[in-house]
Amino acid sequence: MNQSLGALEEIILLLVLREKESYGAELVKLYVNQMSKEITLPAVVMVLKRLEKKGFLKSRVGEPTAERGGRRKVMYEATKMGYRLVEEAMNAKNSIWDMVPKLS
Amino acid sequence: MNSLKKSKFKPPSIALWILKLFCRKEYMEEIKGDLQEVFDWRVNSKGPFKAKIRYFLDALSAIRFLRFSKSDSSKFNTAMISSFIKSSFRNFRRHWSYTLLNVIGLSLGMMAALFILEYVSDELSYNDSSQADQVYRVSNDYYRFNKMIYESSMTFSGVGPAMERDLPEVESYARLYSASIGWGGAMILTRPDEPDIKFKEDKLFFADPNIMEFFDLEVTHGTNELGVLNRIMLTAPMAEKYFGSVEAALGKTLRYNDNLTQYELQVAGIFKKPKFNLQVDFDVLISYLSREQSDPERFQNDWGGNAFITFVKVMPGADAGKLEADMSELTLRYRPGYAEKNEQGEYDRVNSYFLTPIANIHLNSKFQNEVGPIGDATTIRLLQIIALFIVTIAWINFINLTTAKSVDRAREVGVRKVMGAKKNELVLQFFTEAFLVNLFALTLAIGFVLLGQPLFDQFVERPLLLKSIDFATFGIPMISTFLLGALLSGLYPAFVLSSHQVVLALKGKAKSTSGIGLRRGLILFQLLFSSLLMIATMAINRQLNYMNNQDMGFDMEQVLILRGPVVREVRGPENVPKIKLFKDRLKSMASVNNVGTATIIPGQGILRGIVVSRVKGGDPSLKSIERVVASNDFLSTLDIKFSSGRDFDESIKGYEPIIINQRAARELGFENDQDAIGQLLYEFGSEEKRIVGVFQDYHHESLNRPIDPMYFIRNEGFDTFYAIRLTADEVSNTLTQIEALYEESFPGNPARYYFLDQYFNNQYKKDEVNSKVFSAFAIMAIIVACLGLYGLSSFSALQRTKEIGVRKVLGAKVKGIFFLLSREIIILSILGFALAIPIAYYGIQQWLDGFAYHINISALLFVLPMLLVLAVTLLAVSQKIIKTALMNPVKSLRYE
């Protein structure tokens, strides 16, 4: 299985790791707020499904809520493997970033 | 707070529909919920409009989920589709004859539609330049004393420059001028270094440089030097004609000759004609400046001679109506005489100008002197309707045959249902079949079109520019029509077929009564439309026949028209002896009966631009009238009959004789033709002429137009046309002799001639082509409709086999059974025909109104097509019916 992460995958995974679990709509809102650019929901869900298939996420069907018109949401939670992968990726990036001379 | 917003704004429903189309079922609830939440959030943060747009984009982007479906058991699964296709083919093989009938009917219909599409788009593509929305053609009408003197598609040489100079909305102008238009004079190009290389050129114009921009002409070699003195531009074929190749032509010299002038011109460049049709077609362009320099009075700022095809380019969004009004004002500045007013305070002379978008000229021209072929917008619209109807007839066949067949397939449907097929899967199965049949038909139709292209070009008598196979132009309409057709023709049968009750279907008890009313209605429509086309074809053919056989009032058989010379050694009156010598030598030939010359011959569009009066300088009886300058023998050569007085002859001396037609005599106020003889007329209000004869009205133009007042004046020096009456024998030999004599008498002029009857009947060419196209497609429509009737009748005969057996056993006669089976179709065709009569009557009347002389609408026009439609439909249905009726009852009772 492909164990590397794409840029969008990495960000979505990070956003999921932020709390215990999260779902599509919330991730879109967070993404838009944090990255200040637009994204379509299917793109996010697509990434979530792919991450789940790779084993970095697991999902459960949540309770229906009124604000979603009575529809159930699917909640995603990061697995240990997911956490490790992001940790590795961030460490690698941070160590490279440390080598970059800082502008004053 | 959220719930409040939610009730106020809803996501667009079309987006929901798209979402449903793309998104997998398993994700649907999650995605929809999430989308709703994001939507509400966006409404709050960005406003409802942006939220809706984003929602729409979200829905579209759900297309990415389609990729998932491959490994899943969704209904768009390939195994399923291949199963559909496989069972479709099995079904086709089982009912091959009926499938063949469907495919052939549909492909014939589609082929007809494709050909019509091709013809129509060719007609619509005239002057379809990239500048078409800003470039207008300027025409003008001239009124005097509130009477229209003429309307002309061409205007004065001063109009274009004045518009650019004085009207801020006008960006630029371009004029085209040809010496051969109106006058009938020819233009000759010669290579001075090789005097043998000389040709008469018709598609030659003096042009302003902007013409290149207005009509998307592309300069492939050299530069556009139409603004430079004595420059000429050629198309590549022209360059090859004169110099052998494009490269060799550049910089070379060509000599131009017409009745008035001669120029030495340098080839400045080669241009390529655009992809669309040009209304005014040209192969050779000469800088207008050359003409202007040699005769500035006529060609620079003249406001009297209307011989200039003028185009103007206006600012985007300029109001053409306002420009037209401004132009009429402007005339007063350039033509001081026009400012005079009469006692009532009205202008005596009025020039009104009209701007026509160049793309509209071809189909909507009303001018007699329009340059280039004129089409007819109504015909084009009718043809489009016919195309649509022919395809509809073919689709109706498919629907009728398939639903009628549904009984046969009831058992199959029953079994499929028992095996667990859902209704929508059955619908898809039948859709697949409809789609495949349509696809075969389209492929076949495209094949037919490709093969039939040369034939069709010949049929419409010109090569069509755009081929319907040209995917770039026709791809999208073709595919969308095809899909729509497949959908429509598949929809109804699919639902009828898949809705059989399982139990009844398995028992084989399903009856084909469902949709019988609809089937009848559809057949009625087919017959109605076929009858309409039949009647229309009949009317058009009879009218054409009438026009071709009508006595024109002169004898056009065996008259050769020879164009007069262009290159002359002497000019003006000094030509007379030369012309006389040539005529005498012609007359001395055994096979020549008579020779005359004139400026205009019958069949030429005329302008009625001349005024004559019975009072010198007087205004009240001024008439607009056609004027022909002719020699002594011209009228007798054409065998025009006199009602009073006499023809010109050499004994008339000392005054200027004039001969008028009866119409002119009436309009000038003579009660009897005799009263006119010896009376004086004043041409242009002042030049005195004496009437020596009145001739019987003859049709100078086609029967589309009424007979106009006209007159002949005598002059032996105008030989634009030689009319030569030949005896019947040895025509080809005579032609060679005449040609040799002509080239000997007028050296440097290639002889050009044609027969008057051919030339005259050319006026009906457009109507003839239309009639041919109409007839062909009418026959096509009927064939397609009959194919359907044949299939339907054979099927219903088959269904009633047992019933007929029983009837025969009980003593029914074959004749009785035949009527029993064909009664329905006879009633339907009579009904269809009855409905067609009023529509056809109205249509024919409208059409005939366009002809000044036309046939009367008689019962015959309807009876004959009626019998024909009835006969053809009976023929189509009878074969299978008779076979069934004759069948041995023992066999038919065993059937099923």
Side-chain angles (χ1 to χ4, degrees):
Chain A
M1 183 167 282
N2 182 5
Q3 292 296 318
S4 67
L5 281 180
L8 182 62
E9 286 175 336
E10 195 176 302
I11 288 165
I12 300 287
L13 198 50
L14 263 172
L15 285 171
V16 175
L17 278 166
R18 190 189 48 97
E19 296 253 333
K20 186 179 176 318
E21 52 183 12
S22 189
Y23 62 102
E26 189 183 35
L27 289 169
V28 169
K29 294 182 207 170
L30 281 169
Y31 183 91
V32 172
N33 285 339
Q34 295 297 322
M35 309 294 291
S36 32
K37 63 183 174 191
E38 287 292 348
I39 190 167
T40 66
L41 178 91
V44 173
V45 175
M46 186 78 182
V47 169
L48 288 172
K49 300 282 176 201
R50 204 178 321 149
L51 289 172
E52 188 180 359
K53 226 173 144 192
K54 287 178 181 174
F56 306 139
L57 290 178
K58 57 188 180 192
S59 70
R60 67 173 183 89
V61 177
E63 289 307 305
T65 54
E67 61 179 13
R68 298 163 59 87
R71 294 183 191 89
R72 291 166 190 278
K73 44 179 132 169
V74 177
M75 308 297 292
Y76 297 87
E77 189 190 334
T79 58
K80 276 246 163 61
M81 193 167 41
Y83 181 83
R84 293 264 174 272
L85 197 72
V86 177
E87 195 179 24
E88 269 170 36
M90 294 310 291
N91 281 342
K93 274 190 189 161
N94 279 332
S95 64
I96 295 169
W97 181 243
D98 288 341
M99 290 187 262
V100 177
K102 301 289 172 287
L103 289 174
S104 53
Chain B
M1 184 193 84
N2 263 353
S3 58
L4 190 131
K5 285 277 175 191
K6 192 166 39 188
S7 58
K8 222 166 140 193
F9 300 105
K10 284 209 175 96
S13 54
I14 183 161
L16 277 173
W17 180 78
I18 291 174
L19 189 66
K20 231 183 233 165
L21 200 69
F22 289 151
C23 190
R24 286 168 59 195
K25 269 221 180 85
E26 303 97 281
Y27 296 167
M28 204 56 191
E29 179 149 337
E30 177 190 356
I31 299 276
K32 254 180 152 173
D34 279 345
L35 270 180
Q36 181 70 48
E37 206 180 318
V38 173
F39 177 74
D40 290 337
W41 172 68
R42 279 191 178 127
V43 169
N44 278 338
S45 59
K46 304 220 167 105
F49 180 69
K50 273 198 174 155
K52 274 183 191 170
I53 289 185
R54 296 298 318 181
Y55 191 96
F56 193 76
L57 291 176
D58 278 357
L60 274 181
S61 107
I63 195 166
R64 67 188 77 221
F65 291 124
L66 274 179
R67 266 185 278 163
F68 271 155
S69 61
K70 207 174 170 186
S71 59
D72 280 289
S73 61
S74 119
K75 60 177 173 181
F76 286 106
N77 147 345
T78 46
M80 196 91 161
I81 286 176
S82 68
S83 139
F84 286 158
I85 292 177
K86 194 182 279 175
S87 45
S88 299
F89 274 103
R90 281 184 192 151
N91 182 53
F92 292 159
R93 212 173 306 139
R94 195 170 317 131
H95 306 285
W96 65 268
S97 61
Y98 134 93
T99 308
L100 196 69
L101 208 63
N102 263 334
V103 170
I104 290 179
L106 273 173
S107 61
L108 281 181
M110 286 176 181
M111 179 191 77
L114 282 176
F115 273 137
I116 294 180
L117 188 69
E118 207 178 273
Y119 184 68
V120 165
S121 48
D122 184 74
E123 281 287 295
L124 290 176
S125 81
Y126 278 84
N127 286 355
D128 187 22
S129 105
S130 63
Q131 310 279 319
D133 52 340
Q134 272 170 274
V135 178
Y136 292 84
R137 194 269 312 273
V138 188
S139 59
N140 75 297
D141 291 357
Y142 177 53
Y143 291 85
R144 197 156 180 207
F145 307 110
N146 279 324
K147 254 188 215 138
M148 179 188 283
I149 304 298
Y150 66 76
E151 43 184 1
S152 167
S153 71
M154 295 177 270
T155 186
F156 320 121
S157 61
V159 170
M163 287 181 85
E164 188 192 60
R165 196 162 50 235
D166 299 328
L167 302 175
E169 296 96 327
V170 175
E171 280 182 7
S172 51
Y173 71 92
R175 287 163 295 184
L176 286 176
Y177 170 80
S178 155
S180 78
I181 288 171
W183 277 87
M187 303 174 288
I188 292 179
L189 282 183
T190 328
R191 258 181 78 174
D193 50 334
E194 299 253 7
D196 287 343
I197 302 181
K198 59 166 183 267
F199 295 99
K200 281 200 184 187
E201 297 296 352
D202 283 326
K203 297 178 177 177
L204 179 153
F205 286 87
F206 290 86
D208 284 312
N210 286 327
I211 209 76
M212 294 278 177
E213 181 203 341
F214 289 0
F215 290 98
D216 293 346
L217 302 178
E218 192 192 322
V219 179
T220 54
H221 300 77
T223 43
N224 176 7
E225 290 188 3
L226 288 179
V228 182
L229 192 64
N230 294 335
R231 288 291 188 277
I232 186 168
M233 312 264 301
L234 307 168
T235 57
M238 278 291 149
E240 281 159 19
K241 186 163 111 183
Y242 284 97
F243 299 101
S245 76
V246 167
E247 287 74 24
L250 286 178
K252 292 280 171 52
T253 308
L254 278 175
R255 179 178 294 139
Y256 166 92
N257 266 304
D258 65 24
N259 304 32
L260 298 170
T261 42
Q262 174 176 327
Y263 304 107
E264 305 276 325
L265 304 160
Q266 191 193 332
V267 180
I270 308 298
F271 67 92
K272 203 170 98 197
K273 292 210 269 188
K275 282 225 171 67
F276 50 84
N277 290 319
L278 286 168
Q279 172 66 25
V280 179
D281 194 14
F282 40 74
D283 290 326
V284 181
L285 294 174
I286 300 175
S287 62
Y288 187 88
L289 196 65
S290 324
R291 195 90 206 192
E292 199 172 277
Q293 291 271 311
S294 63
D295 187 0
E297 204 172 305
R298 239 190 104 195
F299 289 90
Q300 204 166 53
N301 191 19
D302 173 66
W303 290 75
N306 49 355
F308 303 87
I309 309 168
T310 304
F311 303 98
V312 290
K313 182 177 175 185
V314 303
M315 302 278 195
D319 176 13
K322 182 184 168 290
L323 287 176
E324 287 171 354
D326 288 351
M327 266 317 288
S328 299
E329 283 295 306
L330 212 58
T331 318
L332 300 180
R333 197 185 312 165
Y334 289 97
R335 299 208 69 170
Y338 280 39
E340 286 168 22
K341 293 184 181 180
N342 62 11
E343 292 89 0
Q344 284 89 41
E346 292 162 335
Y347 292 116
D348 278 346
R349 302 182 179 89
V350 179
N351 251 321
S352 12
Y353 296 84
F354 299 97
L355 298 182
T356 318
I358 50 171
N360 290 1
I361 298 172
H362 176 68
L363 289 178
N364 298 300
S365 173
K366 61 183 166 82
F367 297 107
Q368 274 293 294
N369 68 346
E370 190 68 71
V371 180
I374 299 175
D376 179 22
T378 322
T379 312
I380 293 307
R381 209 163 304 131
L382 274 179
L383 279 174
Q384 282 169 322
I385 295 175
I386 290 179
L388 188 69
F389 277 14
I390 289 184
V391 183
T392 311
I393 285 183
W395 283 330
I396 288 178
N397 277 347
F398 180 81
I399 293 174
N400 279 348
L401 283 173
T402 318
T403 51
K405 273 275 183 199
S406 75
V407 196
D408 253 21
R409 305 191 60 183
R411 190 162 284 157
E412 176 197 336
V413 171
V415 172
R416 278 175 185 273
K417 279 196 171 174
V418 167
M419 302 298 279
K422 292 193 197 79
K423 184 170 172 178
N424 55 359
E425 284 163 354
L426 281 171
V427 168
L428 266 176
Q429 163 69 49
F430 292 118
F431 253 135
T432 313
E433 277 173 33
F435 181 79
L436 284 175
V437 167
N438 270 284
L439 193 67
F440 294 153
L442 183 68
T443 319
L444 212 58
I446 291 178
F448 284 156
V449 170
L450 281 175
L451 285 176
Q453 191 67 58
L455 265 174
F456 188 65
D457 282 357
Q458 214 174 9
F459 188 70
V460 298
E461 295 178 23
R462 66 196 151 103
L464 296 177
L465 274 181
L466 299 157
K467 311 294 177 202
S468 55
I469 306 303
D470 176 8
F471 201 76
T473 329
F474 291 111
I476 289 171
M478 219 159 87
I479 287 176
S480 49
T481 319
F482 167 71
L483 287 179
L484 188 79
L487 193 76
L488 281 180
S489 59
L491 197 67
Y492 181 71
F495 279 100
V496 167
L497 285 171
S498 54
S499 62
H500 285 301
Q501 295 275 319
V502 183
V503 183
L504 289 179
L506 277 176
K507 279 186 180 164
K509 274 189 182 162
K511 268 284 155 215
S512 67
T513 44
S514 61
I516 237 179
L518 181 93
R519 210 178 306 151
R520 283 195 186 127
L522 291 177
I523 294 176
L524 187 67
F525 170 80
Q526 289 183 319
L527 289 168
L528 165 73
F529 183 66
S530 308
S531 314
L532 265 181
L533 276 182
M534 211 64 161
I535 301 174
T537 310
M538 178 87 183
I540 294 173
N541 283 335
R542 285 184 64 87
Q543 170 67 16
L544 279 181
N545 216 4
Y546 168 85
M547 291 199 288
N548 279 328
N549 295 330
Q550 183 78 344
D551 181 18
M552 289 291 135
F554 67 98
D555 186 4
M556 63 173 100
E557 311 289 323
Q558 295 286 333
V559 176
L560 186 78
I561 299 295
L562 179 66
R563 304 281 292 258
V566 173
V567 185
R568 291 174 201 273
E569 286 143 18
V570 288
R571 303 217 171 267
E574 291 164 55
N575 267 315
V576 176
K578 283 193 69 116
I579 295 171
K580 188 169 184 324
L581 180 68
F582 177 61
K583 284 204 288 193
D584 287 343
R585 289 180 68 181
L586 275 178
K587 275 183 202 168
S588 69
M589 286 163 67
S591 48
V592 172
N593 267 347
N594 209 343
V595 183
T597 57
T599 49
I600 291 173
I601 53 166
Q604 253 183 316
I606 52 179
L607 260 182
R608 288 160 284 274
I610 309 292
V611 285
V612 291
S613 164
R614 284 177 67 184
V615 188
K616 188 168 185 173
D619 292 335
S621 60
L622 271 168
K623 296 290 170 200
S624 68
I625 190 168
E626 182 57 26
R627 168 189 199 254
V628 185
V629 184
S631 72
N632 278 331
D633 290 321
F634 183 73
L635 285 125
S636 57
T637 303
L638 291 188
D639 203 11
I640 291 168
K641 308 273 185 308
F642 278 76
S643 70
S644 187
R646 59 185 181 129
D647 197 355
F648 299 134
D649 61 47
E650 277 160 28
S651 67
I652 298 176
K653 281 189 184 118
Y655 59 92
E656 293 251 9
I658 186 170
I659 298 176
I660 61 177
N661 69 354
Q662 289 176 306
R663 187 78 39 119
R666 293 298 93 74
E667 291 213 1
L668 285 164
F670 300 112
E671 287 205 0
N672 297 310
D673 297 340
Q674 296 94 307
D675 297 348
I677 309 299
Q679 299 292 316
L680 294 179
L681 281 186
Y682 297 90
E683 228 184 355
F684 313 109
S686 60
E687 288 170 38
E688 185 180 301
K689 314 273 172 189
R690 179 172 296 163
I691 301 173
V692 295
V694 178
F695 60 90
Q696 287 175 9
D697 291 336
Y698 74 93
H699 291 279
H700 187 86
E701 289 171 289
S702 80
L703 294 173
N704 298 33
R705 299 192 59 88
I707 291 177
D708 282 304
M710 64 186 299
Y711 68 85
F712 286 85
I713 61 161
R714 182 177 68 168
N715 194 319
E716 297 289 329
F718 286 82
D719 61 345
T720 321
F721 299 100
Y722 286 87
I724 306 167
R725 177 165 296 282
L726 305 176
T727 54
D729 42 276
E730 289 199 45
V731 170
S732 70
N733 207 355
T734 313
L735 288 183
T736 332
Q737 287 174 30
I738 292 179
E739 205 170 322
L741 181 61
Y742 177 84
E743 285 179 9
E744 184 195 326
S745 309
F746 305 103
N749 292 288
R752 265 202 332 182
Y753 50 80
Y754 36 81
F755 281 95
L756 182 58
D757 49 350
Q758 277 168 13
Y759 179 77
F760 193 87
N761 289 330
N762 241 346
Q763 297 178 100
Y764 302 129
K765 186 110 169 228
K766 191 181 93 189
D767 293 308
E768 261 158 22
V769 170
N770 280 344
S771 140
K772 261 168 47 177
V773 170
F774 249 84
S775 319
F777 289 118
I779 290 169
M780 200 76 107
I782 288 165
I783 289 177
V784 175
C786 281
L787 276 179
L789 288 178
Y790 170 78
L792 212 54
S793 69
S794 53
F795 181 74
S796 79
L798 205 67
Q799 277 235 297
R800 297 172 80 172
T801 313
K802 204 169 200 170
E803 177 196 336
I804 288 160
V806 174
R807 281 177 190 273
K808 280 185 94 170
V809 168
L810 292 177
K813 298 242 170 53
V814 171
K815 204 163 65 179
I817 289 171
F818 180 77
F819 279 117
L820 180 81
L821 287 174
S822 56
R823 193 180 54 202
E824 186 182 349
I825 205 72
I826 293 178
I827 292 176
L828 280 177
S829 56
I830 291 177
L831 194 63
F833 202 88
L835 288 176
I837 288 176
I839 308 174
Y841 187 91
Y842 177 76
I844 294 173
Q845 206 172 33
Q846 292 284 311
W847 182 70
L848 285 179
D849 276 350
F851 295 87
Y853 298 85
H854 58 77
I855 52 168
N856 295 317
I857 301 181
S858 63
L860 193 72
L861 272 185
F862 299 96
V863 173
L864 224 65
M866 156 110 222
L867 291 177
L868 225 87
V869 168
L870 208 59
V872 172
T873 45
L874 269 181
L875 205 71
V877 300
S878 60
Q879 194 234 343
K880 274 288 158 65
I881 291 181
I882 291 175
K883 208 171 138 196
T884 318
L886 287 176
M887 207 188 257
N888 187 344
V890 177
K891 253 190 197 162
S892 48
L893 282 175
R894 276 199 196 138
Y895 182 77
E896 288 175 8

